[in-house]
Amino acid sequence: TARAVQQRLVKLVTDTQAPIPQRNAAGVAINYLGDPRRGVGLRLDGLPDIEWVLVPERDPKSGRKEYIYGDGRGSNREVRTEPDFWIARYPITRAQFQTFVDDPKGFRDAQWWRGLDASEENRSAPGDQRFEYWNHPRERVSWWDAMAFCAWLTAKAHDHPDLWPKDARCTPGWEIRLPTEQQWEKAARGRDGRQYPWGGDEYQSGYANINEVNYKVGSHYLQKTSAVGMYPQGASPYGVADLSGNVWEWC
């Protein structure tokens, strides 16, 4: 059945033992069948299905609040704290962003652009998707596009409370927005200030969608984006995917 094929493709796309070209092909195939993974596509009501991940202020094991920020070492090491926040497990996909574009009260509605110094040209339409796969990250999105999307999604969450992170006890003043640089770093690097999300100071070939050939760190180069979550070894300490490789992300 189609569902059985979907499940086999889901398993393959995240199988770290499978060659990357096979996982990439599975990601493309499941795009056409419909990617059923939580957090990748849409809910039954047509709104973005965001899987939220808690990045806690206090480490659950040690109880410490501090985390290492930036690239300083030794006496130059900077230590910060960051209150609890939630971040999407995957980058916003093409399918999820398109709901904002297609909504009659979405992208072209002036209310989402209040306070944004965006040009009329920028407000008229988002950038074109280069790699047109529904389960890939939405790319060629300007910072203004991303900010307007977050404002729209916040309003949707106030109308549909189950869009908020589960057990977050959200209040009327809560909002969905881009992470700050500090929040992004903590989500990507954990408390210990690791150089890469998977730990350590060395790049691991096959752990992220980058041009490994150009950087002389491996033999992989897809020359395109990939299905979100295709590199599970590259997940951050909190389980957030694609914080290294695939696409640049706005803060």
Side-chain angles (χ1 to χ4, degrees):
T1 65
R3 182 171 178 80
V5 173
Q6 282 180 317
Q7 294 304 321
R8 286 198 295 270
L9 289 172
V10 165
K11 185 176 181 180
L12 179 57
V13 80
T14 56
D15 182 358
T16 59
Q17 300 304 311
I20 286 178
Q22 286 187 16
R23 284 154 51 191
N24 176 56
V28 171
I30 202 173
N31 163 78
Y32 293 112
L33 289 176
D35 195 327
R37 289 178 294 162
R38 184 184 174 201
V40 174
L42 305 178
R43 306 179 345 155
L44 292 176
D45 60 6
L47 292 173
D49 176 29
I50 308 296
E51 183 179 5
W52 297 107
V53 176
L54 171 64
V55 180
E57 177 180 29
R58 190 181 298 275
D59 183 76
K61 293 183 179 179
S62 67
R64 294 181 59 185
K65 294 183 178 181
E66 298 82 8
Y67 72 98
I68 298 172
Y69 176 75
D71 292 328
R73 294 291 185 269
S75 60
N76 293 323
R77 187 175 68 180
E78 183 178 354
V79 177
R80 294 183 177 228
T81 62
E82 186 69 45
D84 289 358
F85 67 94
W86 283 259
I87 192 168
R89 186 177 300 279
Y90 304 113
I92 295 299
T93 62
R94 181 191 178 206
Q96 293 169 340
F97 190 81
Q98 193 63 34
T99 61
F100 172 50
V101 176
D102 292 341
D103 185 349
K105 296 183 178 180
F107 187 91
R108 291 170 178 81
D109 193 315
Q111 64 179 311
W112 316 125
W113 298 86
R114 289 182 190 136
L116 297 179
D117 187 20
S119 67
E120 287 300 319
E121 180 182 0
N122 192 275
R123 295 174 186 231
S124 64
D128 293 331
Q129 178 92 5
R130 182 181 180 190
F131 302 107
E132 296 185 344
Y133 304 104
W134 295 110
N135 60 354
H136 284 214
R138 181 53 162 94
E139 15 100 354
R140 296 186 173 180
V141 170
S142 73
W143 182 82
W144 297 281
D145 294 343
M147 290 286 285
F149 172 82
C150 289
W152 170 83
L153 192 59
T154 296
K156 293 295 184 183
H158 284 297
D159 291 337
H160 303 269
D162 55 339
L163 271 173
W164 295 115
K166 186 179 180 181
D167 301 327
R169 300 179 183 176
C170 299
T171 67
W174 275 53
E175 63 178 345
I176 297 169
R177 56 168 173 73
L178 297 177
T180 65
E181 182 179 341
Q182 292 75 24
Q183 289 172 332
W184 191 95
E185 270 219 21
K186 185 177 181 183
R189 305 175 70 188
R191 288 187 54 258
D192 52 2
R194 54 188 60 189
Q195 189 70 17
Y196 294 97
W198 50 82
D201 292 333
E202 299 294 329
Y203 177 79
Q204 297 291 323
S205 178
Y207 277 34
N209 182 10
I210 71 165
N211 183 349
E212 295 185 353
V213 177
N214 186 58
Y215 289 103
K216 296 181 173 60
V217 292
S219 60
H220 303 296
Y221 181 30
L222 293 178
Q223 302 184 58
K224 58 185 281 292
T225 58
S226 53
V228 296
M230 199 186 95
Y231 295 82
Q233 315 102 306
S236 82
Y238 304 103
V240 184
D242 296 353
L243 291 175
S244 185
N246 216 357
V247 288
W248 292 92
E249 298 180 344
W250 291 114
C251 291

